[in-house]
Amino acid sequence: MSIIKSIYRFIFIGGYQAIILYRIAHKLYELDLKLLSLLVTRLNVLLNSIEVNPQAVISKNMVIVHSVGVVIGGGCVIGNNVVIRQNVTLGQKGSGKSAYNTDFYPTIKDNVIIGAGACILGGVVIGENSIIAANAVVIKDVPPNTVWGGIPAKKLSSN
């Protein structure tokens, strides 16, 4: 990708900017510069209305489409080629426990699409190549190659 295209994306595409700022915050967190990592996270919230905790682990090629309102909690693990739409929450189920580990946060496997407004809560695993429909509330594991939707989310079909 050309440097001009990268600069254009960083300036004008909020989701791209949010991922770059997350990666900076995550690296600062790994270097034990926690206060600085939280400041970069706050900047991300101010610029993009996206909160990605620097403790989250995000692999390659994640795309945040129409970036406003996305929240990704500290213990989340997100695989490769994941697409997240606006107003998605990946977080704790509300158990009252505050530990930042994957027991309380979702794990999103590779090639998953998460629709607008979806909430994925608790230590659930979303299987490879799955689709989570808009406004779904997922509180249990989703097998690979399936489409889930509804409140609470249920299997709608297979891919």
Side-chain angles (χ1 to χ4, degrees):
M1 175 177 2
S2 74
I3 189 75
I4 300 297
K5 194 178 249 184
S6 293
I7 292 170
Y8 172 84
R9 285 183 176 174
F10 184 74
I11 293 172
F12 295 111
I13 301 175
Y16 185 77
Q17 186 179 75
I19 292 168
I20 298 296
L21 289 172
Y22 153 76
R23 297 218 185 275
I24 292 168
H26 184 71
K27 184 52 90 179
L28 291 168
Y29 185 84
E30 287 178 333
L31 294 171
D32 207 28
L33 299 170
K34 292 181 173 82
L35 181 60
L36 198 52
S37 75
L38 292 174
L39 287 172
V40 173
T41 300
R42 287 292 111 207
L43 177 64
N44 208 359
V45 172
L46 290 172
L47 292 175
N48 301 301
S49 296
I50 294 177
E51 183 164 354
V52 184
N53 191 298
Q55 294 178 25
V57 177
I58 299 174
S59 298
K60 298 180 194 174
N61 302 326
M62 185 177 83
V63 175
I64 300 174
V65 182
H66 304 299
S67 56
V68 173
V70 173
V71 177
I72 300 174
C76 292
V77 177
I78 300 175
N80 296 315
N81 309 313
V82 171
V83 176
I84 297 176
R85 306 246 180 233
Q86 69 270 21
N87 293 320
V88 167
T89 300
L90 306 176
Q92 285 185 318
K93 193 186 262 185
S95 63
K97 298 178 181 173
S98 61
Y100 283 112
N101 64 48
T102 56
D103 294 339
F104 301 110
Y105 287 91
T107 298
I108 313 297
K109 299 290 187 170
D110 297 344
N111 307 311
V112 171
I113 298 172
I114 303 172
C119 291
I120 302 174
L121 304 173
V124 300
V125 176
I126 308 300
E128 297 87 358
N129 308 308
S130 292
I131 298 173
I132 305 302
N135 296 315
V137 177
V138 180
I139 55 174
K140 61 183 181 178
D141 291 351
V142 172
N145 306 306
T146 56
V147 178
W148 281 55
I151 301 173
K154 299 176 192 77
K155 182 180 174 184
L156 301 176
S157 67
S158 297
N159 282 347

